[in-house]
Amino acid sequence: FLLDHHIEHSIRRSLELKELACHPVADAAIAIHFSPEDPLFHETTIDPQRLSGYRLVRTPPDYFGYLSWGHLIEQYSFPRFNQTLTISQYHTIVRFLRTPGNILIGHTLQAQEFEKAGIQTRPIRGSQGQLTLSSVYHANNQYTVPPEAKVLRAAVLNYYQQLP
């Protein structure tokens, strides 16, 4: 999951209490994902205050999302959006993002996958390294991890560590 650097210590402590450990995998900037036909296409970084006329597409929030994103929305002065759509299906999100005027707030680690679907990504100005993608695992080795899970975890870690 993604951690905002401002809450990383608190989250690590919470995980330790559950005998879980958190390992950083990759750093990311906060980013906006949007249609290549949108005027944002010509920007190299995005000023959040320019986004007030957009429709925000988002996934259903979870506990860690609330902890990280709530603080970041305030810190970077994101505006109130015209409309917010909460969508859980990836293909529906992509379909909405292909239409100018719709945006998704995410991170730069998603750029390569979204690019395959024709979606553009630009970082939020000044947010480089603000987020850390982390892997969570049992701190003690009393739990047996199936070999398939180890292979999957290694593949995910390898993928994200190779991203620019």
Side-chain angles (χ1 to χ4, degrees):
F1 62 91
L2 281 170
L3 283 176
D4 168 24
H5 288 291
H6 289 93
I7 65 162
E8 194 169 349
H9 178 72
S10 300
I11 296 296
R12 285 182 187 275
R13 181 66 186 129
S14 296
L15 292 172
E16 286 171 9
L17 293 172
K18 300 284 185 186
E19 296 184 4
L20 297 171
C22 185
H23 174 74
V25 176
D27 284 335
I30 303 165
I32 301 297
H33 308 288
F34 56 90
S35 167
E37 299 170 19
D38 198 284
L40 294 174
F41 180 79
H42 303 289
E43 304 290 329
T44 55
T45 61
I46 305 294
D47 177 3
Q49 295 176 349
R50 293 194 46 225
L51 301 174
S52 63
Y54 284 84
R55 179 185 302 152
L56 177 66
V57 176
R58 63 179 236 172
T59 57
D62 60 18
Y63 175 72
F64 294 108
Y66 271 125
L67 290 177
S68 285
W69 291 106
H71 166 74
L72 293 171
I73 295 296
E74 289 179 20
Q75 179 181 348
Y76 288 93
S77 301
F78 279 89
R80 289 202 177 276
F81 294 95
N82 281 345
Q83 190 176 21
T84 301
L85 302 172
T86 302
I87 303 170
S88 59
Q89 293 185 341
Y90 175 78
H91 296 292
T92 305
I93 290 170
V94 168
R95 222 179 358 236
F96 270 97
L97 292 178
R98 286 185 177 150
T99 305
N102 295 318
I103 62 168
L104 173 76
I105 301 172
H107 51 85
T108 52
L109 296 174
Q110 297 166 305
Q112 190 172 347
E113 287 301 313
F114 274 128
E115 187 176 0
K116 292 176 186 175
I119 305 301
Q120 299 297 303
T121 300
R122 299 291 184 276
I124 292 296
R125 191 170 294 130
S127 71
Q128 190 59 37
Q130 182 71 46
L131 301 169
T132 301
L133 179 66
S134 300
S135 171
V136 176
Y137 54 92
H138 289 284
N140 58 36
N141 291 328
Q142 75 183 35
Y143 299 98
T144 303
V145 178
E148 296 85 357
K150 289 179 182 178
V151 169
L152 177 62
R153 181 177 186 272
V156 169
L157 292 175
N158 184 49
Y159 173 81
Y160 281 109
Q161 288 170 342
Q162 291 182 12
L163 288 178

